[in-house]
Amino acid sequence: TECVSGCMCPDGLVLDGSGGCIPKDQCPCVHGGHFYKPGETIKVDCNTCTCNKRQWNCTDNPCKGTCTVYGNGHYMSFDGEKFDFLGDCDYILAQVSIYFQFPVHMLFTPHSNSEIRLLEGRIQEIATDPGAEKNYKVDLRGGYIVIETNQGMNFMWDQKTTVVVHVAPSFQGKVCGLCGDFDGRSRNDFTTRGQSMEMSIQEFGNSWKITSTCSNINMTDLCADQPFKSALGQKHCSIIKSNIFEACHSKVNPIPYYESCVSDFCGCDSVGDCECFCTSVAAYSRSCSRAGVCINWRTPAICREYCRGMH
């Protein structure tokens, strides 16, 4: 629709938006607010899209599943279901024959002969059979602790409040836990350990506790009795809805991330704690990137990579 016929061009040609006239088959494609010439390509998740006659022709490769947990109990399942769940116990995040736990501590069991515990940035490998061959590797990349397995399930932790689990396409419909079953349908993501569909997110979450004797807790509105923090959070978190992320708004709904940001801001121990604010903005930025819209939003004054406070 950005490329239409007009009285300035001869028959068979159209305006190119810059004062020139071009054949219709040379019209650009649009993605994320940017124009791309015929033949140019972009990456959207694991697929490549090529501009051809104003339309995108995309490959149809099966993509890996991504589950993200960030901030004060905000989840994005493998199938894109976004929900909030808080608890003081250990929970199964994603499980096949191996499992991850979050949030009190994170435990990764790559096979029956060893496990890896991540406790306050420390990596502790516990081997019950020291002679067994490892089918995983642990690495530190850009502040993230990364655990990669030979089976295709990978784990990333930013050593703060963000956890990302990746699973290979072959895991579709073969996982369970708080991250859902990765079957392409978000409607059945709230399936309990007992294989029943649960309307209550708290009941769903509590069903994946490691220890059943651990007490349940009820979620509360962190901003209800903190109007000052709520107002300040709305001011800072408005960056998610601002023109900085405008190119992404049509691809990824910013409102859930904005609301999570404000809620986390109210849960900060101090107003100057940048982690509560930056984590939600970074989560939205990652979702935009997976949708093919990369935005450089960090500045020396806003969420620099290793911030100690907001300015």
Side-chain angles (χ1 to χ4, degrees):
T1 58
E2 286 82 3
C3 204
V4 295
S5 297
C7 61
M8 291 182 65
C9 294
D11 290 342
L13 301 181
V14 293
L15 288 169
D16 64 0
S18 302
C21 297
I22 58 175
K24 289 183 179 180
D25 60 5
Q26 292 183 15
C27 283
C29 299
V30 184
H31 180 76
H34 297 286
F35 291 86
Y36 297 84
K37 296 179 181 179
E40 288 190 312
T41 61
I42 59 172
K43 292 286 290 185
V44 179
D45 207 345
C46 69
N47 284 288
T48 300
C49 297
T50 304
C51 177
N52 181 35
K53 296 181 179 180
R54 292 189 289 178
Q55 294 185 344
W56 290 108
N57 296 329
C58 302
T59 58
D60 191 24
N61 302 320
C63 298
K64 66 184 178 182
T66 300
C67 175
T68 305
V69 187
Y70 68 94
N72 200 15
H74 309 300
Y75 290 75
M76 180 69 78
S77 75
F78 290 126
D79 293 325
E81 184 70 29
K82 192 177 186 303
F83 64 95
D84 293 341
F85 171 70
L86 292 173
D88 286 336
C89 308
D90 292 342
Y91 306 87
I92 294 176
L93 187 55
Q95 173 177 287
V96 189
S97 58
I98 54 181
Y99 63 89
F100 305 82
Q101 298 174 347
F102 180 82
V104 176
H105 69 269
M106 280 155 281
L107 169 66
F108 170 74
T109 308
H111 54 67
S112 59
N113 298 314
S114 67
E115 68 180 40
I116 302 170
R117 290 179 179 271
L118 307 179
L119 300 165
E120 298 178 357
R122 292 185 293 109
I123 304 174
Q124 182 182 26
E125 295 187 53
I126 303 172
T128 55
D129 183 1
E133 182 180 354
K134 291 183 179 180
N135 62 352
Y136 67 92
K137 62 180 180 179
V138 184
D139 198 5
L140 182 64
R141 301 177 190 171
Y144 278 84
I145 292 177
V146 180
I147 304 173
E148 294 183 333
T149 73
N150 296 345
Q151 294 93 342
M153 180 180 277
N154 303 328
F155 172 90
M156 299 172 60
W157 178 38
D158 71 346
Q159 304 185 63
K160 295 179 182 178
T161 61
T162 299
V163 172
V164 181
V165 180
H166 294 297
V167 292
S170 58
F171 281 86
Q172 282 196 340
K174 299 177 182 178
V175 292
C176 57
L178 292 178
C179 282
D181 59 5
F182 186 36
D183 67 348
R185 299 176 298 162
S186 61
R187 291 178 297 176
N188 62 353
D189 275 359
F190 300 142
T191 301
T192 67
R193 187 187 295 220
Q195 294 299 301
S196 63
M197 290 288 294
E198 183 59 64
M199 297 299 294
S200 166
I201 294 176
Q202 283 298 116
E203 293 299 322
F204 156 72
N206 288 327
S207 76
W208 290 105
K209 289 188 298 186
I210 299 297
T211 305
S212 60
T213 55
C214 183
S215 300
N216 300 337
I217 66 169
N218 294 318
M219 295 182 65
T220 58
D221 183 356
L222 299 175
C223 294
D225 57 352
Q226 302 185 88
F228 173 73
K229 270 192 174 182
S230 178
L232 200 57
Q234 292 173 34
K235 175 183 176 181
H236 285 291
C237 296
S238 63
I239 184 177
I240 295 176
K241 300 190 297 181
S242 73
N243 57 5
I244 293 177
F245 285 97
E246 184 178 5
C248 182
H249 290 165
S250 62
K251 304 295 179 182
V252 182
N253 183 7
I255 301 304
Y257 294 89
Y258 167 78
E259 292 174 348
S260 297
C261 180
V262 175
S263 175
D264 284 1
F265 199 96
C266 291
C268 290
D269 293 332
S270 62
V271 172
D273 185 356
C274 71
E275 190 173 306
C276 301
F277 160 73
C278 297
T279 296
S280 291
V281 183
Y284 185 60
S285 178
R286 281 193 300 272
S287 293
C288 292
S289 181
R290 285 196 293 270
V293 183
C294 295
I295 296 174
N296 184 17
W297 60 278
R298 293 182 186 268
T299 70
I302 301 176
C303 299
R304 60 189 185 276
E305 198 62 38
Y306 300 101
C307 59
R308 296 178 181 176
M310 287 188 298
H311 299 280

